[in-house]
């Protein structure tokens, strides 16, 4: 079963790498979105370093949202999803495998790109490290919650707009604790509480997210 | 067994059984529920009522085991455009728990020369043949085929008929939704046409669920 | 070895469907409706009279505080209705209880309106208190997120052509949402303590006097009765529209 799981993750990665420029697009969107903030609020360094944690996190959150609508829809349209549902791997693990692949192609590149962008916003070095850590803990939660939203809207004609409405309110806690950790580092008031909560949230999301997404898929794919 | 699809009762009072080596041809006009019945049989769709049994045991008790003993080929071919023919086939074999796809699967459908071609270059008929190659790639006693030959030329359709005959000779079972394009020797026919359902069966079915009358 | 499919009624469900019988619901609803409507009018009038005339003005906020008699019950109701939706969703997923679907669906716009009233009254309160129409107060922010959750639920429900399928899918969302409501609340409180200096007092009922408790509870009871009063016709309309659909479908399939 572990072999099948890894095989599915590998297949998804292959598809993402061979497929389109979708993966690259997420990071490019992230870069452009962050650079809009100085243009919007002005280049004053003090102000930029104050909004840097929030700006980077909000941009990352929106970028993670970008590719969600294809998570199940592509497989639904070509019949792969129903074949996966008929395979040996339980649907919950199918969801988890696809989510892991989604994170590896969106969340992980975002976390890698984030420090460079944060430098553009005048973030201190202490903040950079925690920014990466908080993104590494937080973006998997975004992918897992996003998978639920994607599963709920499979088969709908205008699913992608709906996903944003369903998922963004649920992203609020991730945003708060992610930004909280980075601000804690920048202001040197401690980051452990925020990071622990993010880690706890990740554990909860890994357990509950695939359950809810699989339940939703069983209903939307008939 | 009854089916409600998109709120519409598609069919009801359908009953059949199949023995090893047997074949069942589902016939009926468009919208009669041939595809829905196949999806119920593989567990993708939940029936509105009725039971599905294998060897006398209700399938409800163990869907995982049931999925292992069937192949379903629907209208969609499940072929990824960026994966080669061999990769596509191999993936589906692995997702069914097999170590690898049987080598002769592509030969059985005459597409062994396409093994390294990415899916996006295949014609509709070739994609369909790749999809049908799954049947041979990993063994399963029950084949559920939804209009399997619809995009195929005469030669390929004949190959499929040969495959089915060989499968049945080995004791396998086949249920095919068809408009009669495919030859099935000695197959039972199940007509799902709306007018094929006796009126008293429809009534009896409604009496069985009085709560619906209240709506 | 044989694949066999036989026809059988849904005998196993009847015991649960007994409680979901729409005819039974309609009988009860018809009896309850005038009482609920009367209670709504009586309780709200009594609550307003006590709240606006009898209760003394607050020594700090003057008369402005009186908006809590709308704001606080509306906030309670928005949470209460969301929990009702989640419970009904669970009932509908676990027992396929058809009436639960309809109650959940009918409740959502009512709950959304309660949430909107909470936001609106909170915003109006902010003007005399802090001289601004919106404060990122922890409770108001949580309510804003709750409002978005309501909108998502309603939108998802409406996105499906088949209402039965829409109901099942939206039920999953409601359950996911109700797990998240406390987490959102906790995170927003956390965020608020991080960012807000303690100078701004929260929207709290300030130094509650017993003459303020009575109108508050009366208004809360009145809002509850109002919820029932609008819920009953909505559910009846849903039942009627299901019936019409079934009649049409029967027409098509004969």
């Amino acid at each position: 079963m572990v072999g099948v799981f890894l095989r599915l993750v590998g297949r998804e990665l292959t598809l993402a790498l061979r497929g389109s420029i979708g993966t690259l697009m997420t990071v490019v969107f992230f870069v452009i979105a962050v650079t809009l903030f100085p243009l919007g609020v002005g280049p004053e360094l003090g102000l930029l370093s104050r909004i840097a944690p929030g700006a980077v996190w909000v941009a990352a959150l929106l970028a993670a949202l970008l590719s969600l609508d294809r998570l199940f829809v592509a497989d639904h349209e070509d019949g792969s999803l129903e074949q996966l549902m008929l395979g040996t791997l339980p649907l919950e693990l199918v969801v988890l495998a696809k989510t892991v692949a989604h994170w590896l192609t969106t969340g992980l590149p975002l976390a890698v790109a984030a420090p460079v962008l944060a430098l553009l916003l005048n973030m201190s070095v202490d903040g950079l490290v925690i920014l990466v850590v908080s993104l590494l803990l937080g973006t998997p939660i975004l992918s897992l919650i996003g998978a639920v939203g994607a599963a709920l809207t499979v088969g709908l004609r205008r699913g992608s707009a709906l996903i944003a409405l369903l998922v963004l309110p649920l992203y609020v806690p991730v945003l708060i604790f992610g930004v909280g950790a980075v601000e804690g580092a920048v202001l040197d008031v401690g980051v452990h509480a925020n990071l622990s909560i993010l880690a706890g949230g990740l554990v909860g999301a890994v357990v509950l997210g695939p359950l809810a997404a699989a339940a939703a898929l069983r209903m939307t794919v008939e | 067994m009854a089916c409600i699809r998109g709120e519409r009762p598609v069919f009801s009072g359908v009953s059949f059984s199949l023995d090893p080596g047997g074949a069942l041809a589902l016939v009926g006009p468009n919208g009669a529920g041939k595809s829905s019945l196949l999806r119920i049989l593989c567990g993708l769709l939940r029936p509105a009522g009725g039971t599905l049994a294998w060897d006398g045991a209700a399938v409800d008790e163990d869907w995982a085991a049931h999925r292992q003993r069937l192949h379903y080929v629907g209208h969609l071919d499940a072929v990824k455009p960026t994966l080669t023919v061999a990769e596509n086939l191999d993936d589906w074999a692995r997702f069914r728990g097999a170590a690898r796809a049987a080598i002769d699967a592509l030969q059985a459908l005459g597409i062994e020369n396409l093994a390294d071609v990415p899916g996006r270059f295949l014609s509709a008929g070739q994609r369909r043949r790749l999809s049908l190659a799954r049947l041979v790639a990993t063994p399963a006693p029950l084949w559920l085929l939804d209009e399997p030959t619809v995009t195929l030329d005469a030669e390929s359709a004949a190959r499929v008929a040969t495959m089915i005959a060989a499968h049945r000779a080995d004791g396998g079972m086949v249920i095919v939704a068809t408009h009669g394009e495919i030859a099935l020797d000695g197959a039972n026919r199940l007509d799902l046409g709306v007018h094929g359902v006796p009126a008293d069966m429809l009534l009896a079915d409604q009496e069985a669920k009085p709560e619906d009358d209240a709506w | 070895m044989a694949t066999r499919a036989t026809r059988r009624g849904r005998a196993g469900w009847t015991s649960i469907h007994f409680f979901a019988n729409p005819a039974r619901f309609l009988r009860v609803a018809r009896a309850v409706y005038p009482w609920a409507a009367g209670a709504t009018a009586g309780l709200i009038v009594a609550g307003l009279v006590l709240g606006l005339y009898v209760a003394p003005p607050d020594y700090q906020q003057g008369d402005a505080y009186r908006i809590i008699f709308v704001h606080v019950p509306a906030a309670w109701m928005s949470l209460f209705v969301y929990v009702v939706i989640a419970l009904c969703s669970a009932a509908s997923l676990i027992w396929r209880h058809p009436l639960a679907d309809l109650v959940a669906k009918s409740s959502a716009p009512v709950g959304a309106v309660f949430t909107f009233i909470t936001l609106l009254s909170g915003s109006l309160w902010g003007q005399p208190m802090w001289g601004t129409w919106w404060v990122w107060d922890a409770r108001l922010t949580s309510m804003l997120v709750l409002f978005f959750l309501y909108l998502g639920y309603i939108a998802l429900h409406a996105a499906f052509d088949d209402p039965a399928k829409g109901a099942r899918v939206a039920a999953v969302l409601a359950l996911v949402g109700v797990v998240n409501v406390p987490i959102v609340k906790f995170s927003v409180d956390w965020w608020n303590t991080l960012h807000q200096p303690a100078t701004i007092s929260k929207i709290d009922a300030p130094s509650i006097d017993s003459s303020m408790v009575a109108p508050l509870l009366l208004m809360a009871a009145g809002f509850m009765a109002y919820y029932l009063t609008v819920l009953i016709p909505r559910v009846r309309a849903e039942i009627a529209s299901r019936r019409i659909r079934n009649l049409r479908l029967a027409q098509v399939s004969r």
Side-chain angles (χ1 to χ4, degrees):
Chain A
M1 188 156 295
V2 176
V4 179
F5 180 87
L6 293 177
R7 174 82 181 195
L8 181 54
V9 174
R11 168 187 159 98
E12 293 293 323
L13 290 178
T14 311
L15 287 174
L17 294 179
R18 284 193 203 167
S20 54
I21 53 162
T23 308
L24 198 60
M25 226 167 57
T26 307
V27 178
V28 172
F29 173 88
F30 180 49
V31 172
I32 294 177
V34 170
T35 50
L36 287 179
F37 280 91
L39 298 174
V41 302
E44 197 239 308
L45 287 180
L47 179 62
L48 285 182
S49 64
R50 265 202 60 209
I51 64 162
V56 173
W57 251 99
V58 168
L61 193 141
L62 295 176
L65 192 69
L66 209 60
S67 54
L68 272 182
D69 58 334
R70 299 302 295 168
L71 185 55
F72 296 116
V73 168
D75 279 353
H76 180 58
E77 282 168 354
D78 69 12
S80 300
L81 191 54
E82 54 194 33
Q83 291 299 331
L84 286 172
M85 291 169 90
L86 295 175
T88 45
L89 204 59
L91 188 54
E92 287 76 10
L93 291 181
V94 170
V95 170
L96 188 63
K98 289 181 72 68
T99 314
V100 168
H102 178 263
W103 178 74
L104 287 173
T105 54
T106 57
L108 187 60
L110 291 181
V112 171
V116 181
L117 292 170
L119 277 179
L120 293 182
L121 297 181
N122 195 29
M123 191 188 281
S124 71
V125 178
D126 293 338
L128 293 184
V129 176
I130 298 303
L131 176 67
V132 174
V133 174
S134 73
L135 281 171
L136 287 177
L137 284 172
T139 47
I141 309 181
L142 300 183
S143 291
L144 286 159
I145 297 176
V148 180
L152 288 168
T153 52
V154 164
L156 291 177
R157 282 178 297 275
R158 286 176 303 278
S160 45
L162 194 52
I163 290 181
L165 177 57
L166 300 184
V167 159
L168 283 177
L170 304 179
Y171 279 0
V172 166
V174 183
L175 176 69
I176 287 174
F177 294 116
V179 175
V182 183
E183 290 193 335
V186 171
L187 305 173
D188 203 16
V189 293
V191 297
H192 290 293
N194 282 291
L195 290 183
S196 316
I197 293 169
L198 273 185
L202 179 55
V203 172
V206 165
V207 175
L208 295 178
L211 281 178
L217 279 181
R218 289 200 182 91
M219 292 165 188
T220 45
V221 179
E222 285 208 318
Chain B
M1 172 182 292
C3 167
I4 297 178
R5 181 96 179 111
E7 300 180 284
R8 194 166 58 97
V10 180
F11 56 77
S12 59
V14 171
S15 176
F16 64 89
S17 68
L18 201 58
D19 293 321
L24 182 71
L26 303 177
V27 294
N30 294 341
K34 302 188 290 294
S35 299
S36 298
L37 179 54
L38 285 178
R39 292 175 78 82
I40 287 175
L41 292 177
C42 67
L44 286 171
L45 190 62
R46 230 190 290 187
T51 54
L52 184 62
W54 180 277
D55 271 345
V59 167
D60 277 343
E61 287 159 20
D62 192 354
W63 276 108
H66 182 64
R67 288 199 296 266
Q68 271 295 293
R69 58 195 173 219
L70 65 84
H71 264 302
Y72 168 72
V73 178
H75 286 294
L76 301 165
D77 296 319
V79 173
K80 287 290 177 194
T82 50
L83 299 181
T84 67
V85 166
E87 285 171 331
N88 266 300
L89 190 66
D90 215 34
D91 273 353
W92 291 125
R94 297 216 184 204
F95 295 151
R96 292 183 58 82
R100 65 176 57 79
I103 303 164
D104 52 355
L106 293 174
Q107 277 158 16
L109 285 137
I111 46 172
E112 68 275 12
N113 55 330
L114 300 175
D116 295 327
V117 176
R120 80 165 77 90
F121 297 117
L122 300 185
S123 73
Q126 287 166 334
R127 274 206 308 275
R128 166 104 318 197
R129 276 145 81 187
L130 171 53
S131 183
L132 288 164
R134 293 203 311 261
L135 298 171
V136 185
T138 50
L142 174 63
W143 291 1
L144 304 169
L145 311 178
D146 200 347
E147 301 187 359
T149 56
V150 91
T151 52
L152 297 186
D153 53 38
E155 191 199 342
S156 307
R159 285 177 194 272
V160 175
T162 314
M163 267 169 55
I164 293 177
H167 177 60
R168 289 173 61 192
D170 281 350
M173 291 173 283
V174 188
I175 300 180
V176 190
T178 177
H179 288 295
E181 323 84 4
I182 191 159
L184 292 166
D185 295 333
N188 298 321
R189 281 166 64 87
L190 181 63
D191 193 340
L192 290 171
V194 175
H195 305 291
V197 181
D200 61 317
M201 294 278 262
L202 268 174
L203 286 173
D205 199 59
Q206 285 191 341
E207 276 161 22
K209 30 177 185 166
E211 69 274 18
D212 274 11
D213 289 340
W215 290 95
Chain C
M1 204 193 306
T3 314
R4 216 159 60 82
T6 50
R7 206 191 109 261
R8 212 167 65 180
R10 295 192 281 179
W13 296 1
T14 33
S15 56
I16 291 143
H17 280 248
F18 180 81
F19 299 103
N21 185 325
R24 189 180 311 268
F25 167 80
L26 288 174
R27 268 202 309 280
V28 175
R30 211 163 286 141
V32 168
Y33 183 68
W35 293 98
T40 306
L43 287 166
I44 289 185
V45 166
L48 285 178
V49 167
L50 282 187
L52 298 186
Y53 297 102
V54 179
D58 184 71
Y59 80 102
Q60 269 184 327
Q61 305 187 4
D63 281 331
Y65 88 94
R66 293 184 198 275
I67 205 161
I68 64 160
F69 297 126
V70 174
H71 177 82
V72 173
W76 289 345
M77 286 308 292
S78 23
L79 283 170
F80 174 77
V81 173
Y82 201 85
V83 172
V84 167
I85 291 175
L87 290 177
C88 285
S89 299
S92 121
L93 286 180
I94 297 167
W95 297 298
R96 301 208 142 205
H97 193 305
L99 199 60
D101 271 351
L102 302 185
V103 171
K105 185 186 178 193
S106 312
S107 293
V110 185
V113 168
F114 277 127
T115 317
F116 185 71
I117 291 174
T118 311
L119 292 172
L120 193 70
S121 55
S123 160
L124 289 177
W125 195 3
Q127 173 57 21
M129 287 299 102
W130 304 302
T132 171
W133 291 107
W134 181 261
V135 200
W136 288 95
D137 162 89
R139 288 177 201 204
L140 279 181
T141 311
S142 301
M143 279 292 156
L144 189 60
V145 178
L146 183 64
F147 186 60
F148 294 149
L149 288 177
Y150 269 118
L151 292 188
Y153 177 85
I154 294 169
L156 187 63
H157 225 301
F160 286 87
D161 294 330
D162 173 1
K165 191 172 175 178
R168 286 204 303 281
V169 175
V172 174
L173 179 68
L175 291 181
V176 172
V178 87
V179 171
N180 271 279
V181 164
I183 301 175
V184 168
K185 176 90 178 89
F186 169 66
S187 70
V188 170
D189 286 348
W190 179 279
W191 160 83
N192 204 49
T193 50
L194 193 75
H195 289 273
Q196 292 257 6
T199 48
I200 297 180
S201 74
K202 291 195 186 147
I203 299 189
D204 264 323
S207 58
I208 281 266
D209 187 84
S210 62
S211 59
M212 296 174 185
V213 173
L216 197 59
L217 293 180
L218 279 174
M219 288 297 283
F223 275 33
M224 186 70 87
Y226 171 77
Y227 169 51
L228 256 185
T229 312
V230 291
L231 185 66
I232 287 171
R234 291 184 67 87
V235 174
R236 272 159 69 172
E238 286 290 333
I239 291 176
S241 83
R242 287 273 166 115
R243 247 184 207 162
I244 291 168
R245 290 185 83 98
N246 281 5
L247 287 174
R248 287 223 178 101
L249 291 167
Q251 218 171 15
V252 171
S253 59
R254 285 292 150 80

